[in-house]
């Protein structure tokens, strides 16, 4: 049992912080997996398919990049190390910015740290003001919008919607809410994780690190809503007249 995304709150869903990418996972497999265990182990959604195939006795295709969790689940001694890191990323989550722009970011999560590379730090991460459509409408969002100029709450508003620096680093074991950016303070860790992430992205063929990242901006988003942001469909057909760029 799992879920499809992080919590639908500001600075959670549609972000690469812990509460945007960390989701629940409960596994029950009688006679195979010991009950009552809680594992603090990095696993990824891409691990689900090879796990289910191996459990069913089906060969896992070489094209699958996920790692079967069977050895981890059957390891009652706690000696199996499943993953050293998890990669996450985001592009266009919803129609939240003018010209249909997304918010490109990539992240590397280890047991100790979360490093986030915000590739377009000049853009608004939660969607363009003053509606911030990349945050689902909810009482928390409305409260922050209503009290954004109140000194008691303005810092929380900024955490939810303000522009992010290009590099963010969090010691997630002590800062699960990802509030203290250590990117400058822990410069060596930041540089090491950035180099590792960039190398992994190049190996995967990510357009953002191969000079053609604008391809993500070229895909039209179809849907008859938010015409004030431009670039939407009319009667089921893409209307380029709404594309401002």
């Amino acid at each position: 049992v799992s879920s499809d995304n992080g919590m639908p709150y500001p600075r959670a869903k549609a972000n690469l912080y812990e509460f945007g990418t960390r989701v629940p996972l409960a596994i029950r497999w009688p006679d195979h997996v010991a009950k009552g265990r809680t594992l603090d182990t990095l696993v990824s959604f891409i691990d689900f398919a090879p796990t289910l195939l191996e459990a069913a006795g089906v060969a896992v295709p070489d094209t699958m990049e996920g790692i079967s969790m069977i050895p981890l689940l059957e390891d009652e001694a706690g000696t199996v190390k499943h993953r050293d890191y998890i990669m996450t990323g985001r592009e266009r989550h919803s129609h939240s910015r003018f010209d249909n722009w997304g918010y490109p970011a990539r992240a590397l999560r280890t047991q100790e740290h979360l490093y986030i590379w915000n590739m377009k730090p000049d853009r608004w991460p939660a969607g363009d003001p003053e509606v911030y459509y990349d945050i689902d409408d909810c009482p928390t969002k409305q409260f922050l919008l209503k009290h954004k100029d109140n000194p008691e709450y303005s810092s929380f508003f900024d955490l939810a919607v303000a522009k992010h620096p290009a590099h963010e680093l969090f010691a997630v074991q002590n800062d699960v809410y990802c509030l203290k950016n250590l990117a400058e303070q822990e410069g060596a860790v930041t540089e090491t994780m950035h180099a590792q992430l960039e190398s992994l992205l190049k190996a995967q063929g990510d357009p953002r690190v191969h000079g053609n990242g604008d391809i993500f901006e070229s895909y039209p988003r179809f849907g008859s809503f938010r015409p004030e942001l431009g670039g939407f469909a009319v009667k089921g057909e893409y209307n380029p007249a709404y594309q401002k760029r």
Side-chain angles (χ1 to χ4, degrees):
V1 179
S2 187
S3 68
D4 69 334
N5 51 245
M7 299 186 295
Y9 294 102
R11 203 176 166 83
K13 180 182 176 183
N15 283 277
L16 299 184
Y17 302 120
E18 282 291 276
F19 290 118
T21 60
R22 186 174 177 177
V23 295
L25 175 60
I27 297 175
R28 180 177 183 270
W29 192 15
D31 301 327
H32 289 271
V33 177
K35 63 182 181 180
R37 288 192 302 161
T38 300
L39 303 179
D40 184 19
T41 305
L42 295 172
V43 299
S44 174
F45 254 70
I46 63 173
D47 297 335
F48 291 176
T51 300
L52 295 173
L53 289 176
E54 183 176 342
V58 178
V60 179
D62 293 336
T63 52
M64 283 190 173
E65 297 186 8
I67 303 172
S68 172
M69 294 185 288
I70 298 297
L72 175 67
L73 297 175
E74 294 180 341
D75 175 41
E76 295 186 35
T79 59
V80 171
K81 188 174 183 179
H82 185 69
R83 283 184 174 275
D84 294 321
Y85 60 82
I86 294 291
M87 296 174 67
T88 58
R90 62 175 290 194
E91 278 291 336
R92 185 170 60 199
H93 168 250
S94 67
H95 194 164
S96 305
R97 292 166 198 84
F98 293 107
D99 294 339
N100 222 12
W101 278 351
Y103 189 81
R106 307 289 186 267
L108 191 66
R109 168 68 152 86
T110 65
Q111 203 70 34
E112 297 80 21
H113 293 97
L114 169 65
Y115 167 71
I116 301 175
W117 180 10
N118 297 304
M119 296 173 163
K120 297 287 185 180
D122 56 313
R123 299 183 186 180
W124 296 96
D128 286 330
E130 294 289 326
V131 287
Y132 307 108
Y133 279 129
D134 245 349
I135 303 176
D136 288 348
D137 194 25
C138 61
T140 307
K141 176 182 179 180
Q142 293 305 318
F143 181 90
L144 290 177
L145 288 171
K146 182 178 179 180
H147 299 280
K148 64 181 181 179
D149 296 321
N150 184 327
E152 186 175 357
Y153 303 110
S154 58
S155 62
F156 296 105
F157 175 77
D158 289 339
L159 282 170
V161 307
K163 292 180 179 179
H164 301 321
H167 307 283
E168 297 181 277
L169 179 72
F170 303 97
V172 287
Q173 297 300 324
N174 301 317
D175 183 17
V176 69
Y177 299 109
C178 299
L179 298 178
K180 187 176 182 180
N181 182 9
L182 303 174
E184 294 187 8
Q185 181 180 335
E186 301 287 346
V189 177
T190 302
E191 291 179 10
T192 298
M193 294 190 70
H194 175 82
Q196 182 183 6
L197 177 59
E198 187 172 23
S199 176
L200 290 167
L201 294 173
K202 286 180 178 178
Q204 290 183 349
D206 191 316
R208 289 290 178 190
V209 294
H210 283 282
N212 59 330
D214 286 347
I215 191 173
F216 289 111
E217 320 292 357
S218 70
Y219 303 127
R221 180 181 177 90
F222 291 90
S224 55
F225 63 102
R226 299 177 187 168
E228 72 276 17
L229 295 182
F232 76 113
V234 178
K235 296 182 179 179
E237 295 182 2
Y238 182 61
N239 186 345
Y242 287 94
Q243 194 75 13
K244 296 181 180 179
R245 290 193 302 125

